[in-house]
Amino acid sequence: MKYIIPLFALLFITSCKTKTTTKSESISITSNEVKNMVSYLASDDLQGRHTGSKGIEKAARYIESQFKAFGVKPYFESYRDNFKIKDSISAFNVVGFVEGSDEKLKDEVIIIGAHYDHIGFGDDARHKSRKGSITKTDTIANGANDNASGTSAVLAMAKYFAKTKKNKRSIMFALFSAEELGLLGSKHLAKRLKSEELNLYAMVNFEMIGVPFKGRNYQAFVTGYDLSNMAQKINEYVGNNLVGFSEVAKKYNLFKQSDNYAFYEEFKLPCQTISSCDLSNYDYYHHADDEINELNYDFMASLINEAIKAMEQMSNTPTKEILMYESK
């Protein structure tokens, strides 16, 4: 016996299928995509991405090719923001831009950043591992967690916003060089943008997001937690306790140790770092064993996708909701 499906029922089924597809498409990045990005950036071929090296040149070209493929435009005449270190080393940040869709709000800019350099290779990478052994043969500090992981987050967000155009405010995507030499890349770009009178709303930096915490009620922490309401607003935007406060981060003043700080110094606005590693849950900081197989890509994809929701909401509020607290 054949069953004849009424037309209204067929339309209902089709509608449900369409909604399901739309929901799945909202997932902006998969764990495999994250792993592919990190695997290239932290490969031996890039020799630890030291500023001024052939390896970091390859990393920059990769980031530029990704921006171009995503449809992310250069912010300057090219993707590169060039600067010199001690008048001898040529260095460059890589900067992309997705203009906002609102005629007024697009003049306000959110910067999403991460450093893509690392410490290169040599004996300094051969520290003792958590098992007490010494890496004798591998001298390449691949920097998977520090900071190919953060770079992958910025690339994922650049892809999402270039594709969806779901940002009323403009978003700058900045990958910094020479962070390991003293935040030199972010200092250069922050000063340049300040001199050009950029209308900055907030700067959100991603640093070492490759491993989860254990026994905490949040996925990542925000540096400078007490300086602004950024953490509270991010959690409000995503509807869960995505980010929180780290005692370890405060103890070691990690707010001043990453690229957010250069922008805070110039603009005195909410410029903070999101990280899932406060050095209490990862043994391979500046170590040759900071390799791709040490990271948790399911966790990273989940964190990045939640962060995208937060950045989307941040870019669309009618007024600036991320605010500095008044100093006491």
Side-chain angles (χ1 to χ4, degrees):
M1 182 177 179
K2 294 182 179 180
Y3 292 92
I4 300 174
I5 302 175
L7 179 59
F8 73 86
L10 184 61
L11 291 173
F12 176 77
I13 293 170
T14 304
S15 174
C16 290
K17 287 181 178 179
T18 302
K19 289 180 180 179
T20 301
T21 302
T22 302
K23 186 176 181 181
S24 67
E25 286 177 350
S26 68
I27 300 174
S28 57
I29 191 164
T30 66
S31 57
N32 283 336
E33 288 176 305
V34 176
K35 187 173 183 179
N36 287 339
M37 291 179 186
V38 174
S39 295
Y40 178 77
L41 291 166
S43 64
D44 284 354
D45 187 49
L46 269 62
Q47 295 284 292
R49 308 187 307 278
H50 197 281
T51 300
S53 69
K54 292 180 180 179
I56 201 167
E57 171 67 30
K58 291 180 180 179
R61 289 182 181 180
Y62 171 77
I63 293 166
E64 290 169 331
S65 69
Q66 293 292 93
F67 277 170
K68 187 174 182 180
F70 300 156
V72 177
K73 296 180 180 179
Y75 182 72
F76 301 109
E77 292 183 4
S78 73
Y79 289 115
R80 298 197 183 190
D81 168 43
N82 297 291
F83 60 100
K84 288 280 190 179
I85 300 174
K86 296 180 179 178
D87 298 324
S88 59
I89 300 175
S90 296
F92 34 81
N93 303 311
V94 184
V95 187
F97 192 71
V98 174
E99 187 176 48
S101 60
D102 186 272
E103 281 302 313
K104 292 183 178 179
L105 291 179
K106 71 179 183 180
D107 293 333
E108 300 173 7
V109 179
I110 297 170
I111 298 176
I112 299 176
H115 74 91
Y116 73 104
D117 67 308
H118 197 48
I119 62 172
F121 60 94
D123 289 339
D124 287 344
R126 300 194 301 179
H127 300 313
K128 285 186 177 180
S129 73
R130 58 187 170 191
K131 297 179 181 178
S133 62
I134 296 177
T135 306
K136 294 183 179 180
T137 57
D138 184 4
T139 62
I140 300 174
N142 298 86
N145 196 22
D146 184 14
N147 189 34
S149 66
T151 301
S152 73
V154 177
L155 290 174
M157 293 182 194
K159 180 180 180 180
Y160 176 83
F161 286 106
K163 179 181 179 181
T164 65
K165 305 282 194 295
K166 289 184 176 180
N167 55 297
K168 292 181 180 180
R169 291 183 174 87
S170 297
I171 304 178
M172 181 183 299
F173 302 94
L175 284 311
F176 308 110
S177 185
E179 188 268 358
E180 301 288 2
L181 300 179
L183 312 181
L184 300 183
S186 54
K187 287 178 181 177
H188 170 80
L189 182 59
K191 288 181 181 295
R192 180 176 183 178
L193 294 175
K194 180 66 174 179
S195 70
E196 295 176 0
E197 300 183 342
L198 180 81
N199 186 3
L200 181 66
Y201 171 21
M203 190 273 181
V204 185
N205 189 55
F206 289 85
E207 175 87 53
M208 294 195 291
I209 60 165
V211 292
F213 288 112
K214 294 180 180 179
R216 300 195 193 183
N217 65 348
Y218 55 77
Q219 292 189 46
F221 67 90
V222 173
T223 63
Y225 183 92
D226 296 327
L227 295 176
S228 82
N229 66 344
M230 183 181 288
Q232 290 78 9
K233 280 297 178 181
I234 285 176
N235 290 340
E236 178 186 318
Y237 293 157
V238 300
N240 62 65
N241 205 31
L242 180 66
V243 294
F245 170 74
S246 165
E247 287 282 1
V248 180
K250 184 173 183 179
K251 177 182 178 181
Y252 292 107
N253 202 6
L254 297 187
F255 174 69
K256 293 185 177 182
Q257 308 306 317
S258 195
D259 292 302
N260 63 284
Y261 188 64
F263 290 88
Y264 171 76
E265 282 283 89
E266 290 295 329
F267 290 91
K268 302 302 182 187
L269 292 169
C271 300
Q272 292 160 264
T273 289
I274 293 175
S275 175
S276 70
C277 178
D278 58 12
L279 307 182
S280 68
N281 61 325
Y282 195 67
D283 294 325
Y284 301 130
Y285 174 67
H286 286 189
H287 191 293
D289 287 344
D290 184 6
E291 302 269 16
I292 60 172
N293 58 2
E294 296 293 335
L295 305 192
N296 184 326
Y297 296 99
D298 289 334
F299 165 77
M300 289 175 64
S302 173
L303 176 59
I304 292 168
N305 286 326
E306 287 294 288
I308 286 173
K309 293 178 188 177
M311 296 303 103
E312 183 175 315
Q313 184 69 14
M314 190 186 298
S315 71
N316 287 319
T317 57
T319 60
K320 294 179 179 180
E321 295 184 350
I322 313 295
L323 303 170
M324 298 294 295
Y325 291 136
E326 292 183 10
S327 58
K328 297 179 181 180

